[in-house]
Amino acid sequence: MTDLNQMTVGGYAPPPGPYEQPQVPQLMTGLPQWSNASPKCPPGLEYLTQIDQLLIKQKKEVMEVIFNFHTRNTYEISNSLGQHLWTAREESSCCARLCFGRYRPLTLSVKDNLENKPLFLIRPFRFPMGLCCWCNLCLAEMEVQGHDGTVLGFVRQQWHLCLPRFTVQTADRQDALLIHGPFCACSCGSDVKFKVLDASGNQIGVIRKRWGGFCQEWITAADNFTVEFPMELDVKLKANLLAAALLLDYTRFENVDK
């Protein structure tokens, strides 16, 4: 008989213990036990094998509202039931935030409830679009690393005259997924949808920038996202789509500059 003290409600919890010896996620109420964790799954990301959606909520920063100054972003990441999975915290210098604003170089450390860090999302500095938008010095990029620094993939912006286009790449720089956004990527009373396409151009998921209401949209820079993907999608690509949603926030919706 399953020990009820090892259960939580509504989904699987991130595995406890050190990453060198990853454990299979514990059974939760109402769901079948997961016992087929892939050996290719990076330690700390086992939970991603069991879900097809992530919710991302950016924490509101009072300093940004009052002083119109970029602070380090913090995101709470949860499953479709709202259960907390990870916290992504920005690491960047005050000088970079002051001088470069939303184009600043940064690292997002993704941490679970046990203080383990299964993911690091690294974004290099890029010049503002418009100065040299046809070259790589202006096109946004985010590198996705595992807990030990192993590269899991990349998210790269593709040049387009008027539409937001991004490519999700594997660790060896092979294109795996495409992200296509609308001509007008501003949310005014409705969600903004970015289609996730496979290499053949078929839609397999979506990244939604959720409409947060007029006060949140125009007074704060805090945004909420939903990332939807197939259950069977490779875990590394799911992690890359999480990075893509955060990169979209910095490149398209970091509106404190307004």
Side-chain angles (χ1 to χ4, degrees), residues 27-38:
L27 177 65
M28 291 190 176
T29 304
L31 293 178
Q33 186 170 7
W34 183 268
S35 58
N36 298 318
S38 171

Side-chain angles (χ1 to χ4, degrees), residues 148-244:
D148 58 355
T150 302
V151 176
L152 305 183
F154 301 87
V155 181
R156 300 193 67 189
Q157 184 180 13
Q158 301 299 313
W159 185 85
H160 193 281
L161 183 62
C162 55
L163 297 174
R165 294 287 187 266
F166 293 81
T167 301
V168 175
Q169 298 180 326
T170 60
D172 55 356
R173 295 282 188 176
Q174 298 299 310
D175 294 350
L177 301 173
L178 306 174
I179 299 175
H180 289 183
F183 172 75
C184 181
C186 64
S187 55
C188 186
S190 61
D191 297 347
V192 180
K193 299 179 182 179
F194 295 82
K195 297 179 181 179
V196 178
L197 313 175
D198 62 17
S200 300
N202 302 311
Q203 183 174 352
I204 63 169
V206 64
I207 298 175
R208 303 174 189 268
K209 192 274 181 185
R210 311 296 299 191
W211 169 250
F214 287 102
C215 290
Q216 177 171 315
E217 297 292 333
W218 295 105
I219 296 178
T220 76
D223 298 308
N224 300 329
F225 292 84
T226 300
V227 185
E228 301 173 16
F229 39 72
M231 184 80 72
E232 66 276 8
L233 188 66
D234 184 85
V235 168
K236 296 178 183 178
L237 293 180
K238 292 182 179 182
N240 290 344
L241 287 178
L242 168 62

Side-chain angles (χ1 to χ4, degrees), residues 57-258:
K57 184 176 182 180
Q58 184 179 355
K59 295 182 65 175
K60 300 179 179 65
E61 300 292 345
V62 178
M63 292 289 289
E64 284 192 352
V65 177
I66 297 177
F67 298 105
N68 193 34
F69 173 74
H70 286 277
T71 58
R72 288 178 288 186
N73 289 357
T74 300
Y75 303 87
E76 299 295 336
I77 303 166
S78 59
N79 61 18
S80 59
L81 298 177
Q83 295 176 310
H84 181 267
L85 304 178
W86 299 312
T87 299
R89 288 191 173 91
E90 175 185 334
E91 299 173 3
S92 61
S93 68
C94 180
C95 179
R97 296 193 301 274
L98 179 64
C99 297
F100 304 125
R102 62 193 179 116
Y103 303 100
R104 62 192 180 270
L106 56 89
T107 296
L108 285 163
S109 299
V110 180
K111 183 169 59 176
D112 64 21
N113 295 326
L114 297 175
E115 301 298 317
N116 295 317
K117 295 181 179 180
L119 285 174
F120 294 92
L121 313 179
I122 303 171
R123 181 199 178 193
F125 168 73
R126 289 295 184 263
F127 288 102
M129 291 293 288
L131 294 181
C132 52
C133 58
W134 57 86
C135 72
N136 290 334
L137 292 178
C138 284
L139 299 176
E141 179 176 303
M142 186 169 280
E143 179 178 332
V144 182
Q145 295 184 359
H147 76 99
D148 58 355
T150 302
V151 176
L152 305 183
F154 301 87
V155 181
R156 300 193 67 189
Q157 184 180 13
Q158 301 299 313
W159 185 85
H160 193 281
L161 183 62
C162 55
L163 297 174
R165 294 287 187 266
F166 293 81
T167 301
V168 175
Q169 298 180 326
T170 60
D172 55 356
R173 295 282 188 176
Q174 298 299 310
D175 294 350
L177 301 173
L178 306 174
I179 299 175
H180 289 183
F183 172 75
C184 181
C186 64
S187 55
C188 186
S190 61
D191 297 347
V192 180
K193 299 179 182 179
F194 295 82
K195 297 179 181 179
V196 178
L197 313 175
D198 62 17
S200 300
N202 302 311
Q203 183 174 352
I204 63 169
V206 64
I207 298 175
R208 303 174 189 268
K209 192 274 181 185
R210 311 296 299 191
W211 169 250
F214 287 102
C215 290
Q216 177 171 315
E217 297 292 333
W218 295 105
I219 296 178
T220 76
D223 298 308
N224 300 329
F225 292 84
T226 300
V227 185
E228 301 173 16
F229 39 72
M231 184 80 72
E232 66 276 8
L233 188 66
D234 184 85
V235 168
K236 296 178 183 178
L237 293 180
K238 292 182 179 182
N240 290 344
L241 287 178
L242 168 62
L246 299 179
L247 183 60
L248 282 171
D249 186 43
Y250 281 101
T251 59
R252 311 298 299 187
F253 303 107
E254 187 84 346
N255 58 4
V256 73
D257 290 328
K258 294 181 179 180

Side-chain angles (χ1 to χ4, degrees), residues 8-24:
T8 56
V9 179
Y12 291 85
Y19 287 142
E20 288 73 15
Q21 297 178 344
Q23 302 178 22
V24 177

